[in-house]
Amino acid sequence: HTSYILPDGSEVNLNAESRINFKKRNFISERKVFLEGEAFFNIIKGSPFRIITPNGEITVPGTSFNVLSRNSAFKVTCLIGKVIVSSNDQSVTIEQGESVELSGDNLRGFRDERFHHIIGWINGEFYFENTPLNLVFDEIERQFNVKFVSREKENRFFTGSFTNKDLNEALETICIVMKLDYEIGDNDEISIRDKKQ
């Protein structure tokens, strides 16, 4: 995790395995950032600010919002202000407490009851609600720089949370609920299997 102050004074917090690119020259007149991964933006008001991801584009005048763009997942959540999200020749405007996500080729806006949990990652807290277990394991890999070598029961779903402070505690939290055992081997490789009855 890292935070960065852009040339216009806007702040970006980057999650693990995330990156931004931008041109410092003329940034104030053309505020444009390229994002891969997940980031929380606190944009200072001014000329339109554009975030371009492989899955879509976000335009704002000044606001606070979270962007997740990993592989085919694309979700934008607005905490303050108004955000315009575009993808596949579609555009959706969202306001505080709303999210928009890419589902197939369609952008879908909705009231997000969990919007306060979305940015928990900034403080090392990760919340999941009915999330495929393999996506939870992907987040553990990113946060702890480990690798799962076996992942049985990937078609299961997890609801709960963990922090990125302690790997064993995070694994215990998930494995107890999912009735799984884990083993951490050499080179931080983790094996997951059903708990023995």
Side-chain angles (χ1 to χ4, degrees), residues 140-165:
I140 291 229
E141 286 181 336
R142 275 191 291 276
Q143 297 306 314
F144 293 100
N145 197 25
V146 296
K147 181 76 178 152
F148 284 91
V149 291
S150 68
R151 297 181 183 191
E152 295 181 24
K153 305 294 181 191
E154 287 190 9
N155 60 343
R156 296 168 68 181
F157 296 84
F158 175 75
T159 296
S161 64
F162 68 84
T163 71
N164 66 357
K165 308 299 182 231

Side-chain angles (χ1 to χ4, degrees), residues 13-14 21 41 44 48 50 77 87-89 92 106 130 156 169 186-187 194:
N13 288 285
L14 292 170
N21 293 309
F41 291 86
I44 289 180
R50 292 174 51 212
T77 303
S87 180
N88 300 325
D89 297 324
V92 174
N106 296 315
N130 204 27
R156 296 168 68 181
E169 185 179 301
D186 296 335
N187 301 320
D194 285 326

Side-chain angles (χ1 to χ4, degrees), residues 17 63 89 110 130 132 156-157 169 175 180 188:
E17 291 187 12
T63 185
D89 297 324
F110 58 97
N130 204 27
R156 296 168 68 181
F157 296 84
E169 185 179 301
C175 288
L180 298 169
D188 293 323

Side-chain angles (χ1 to χ4, degrees), residues 25 65 72 80 88 91 98 106 125 129 137-138 146 152 170 185 193 196:
R25 187 177 206 175
F65 58 98
S72 62
I80 299 172
N88 300 325
S91 182
E98 296 177 334
N106 296 315
E125 300 166 353
E129 188 172 318
F137 288 149
D138 286 348
V146 296
E152 295 181 24
R193 64 191 169 282
K196 295 178 182 172

Side-chain angles (χ1 to χ4, degrees), residues 5-32:
I5 303 296
L6 295 166
D8 67 344
S10 296
E11 184 179 4
V12 181
N13 288 285
L14 292 170
N15 198 348
E17 291 187 12
S18 301
R19 61 191 53 82
I20 58 169
N21 293 309
F22 62 92
K23 294 180 182 174
K24 284 185 180 180
R25 187 177 206 175
N26 300 326
F27 185 83
I28 302 296
S29 61
E30 185 182 5
R31 303 192 304 167
K32 180 167 58 173

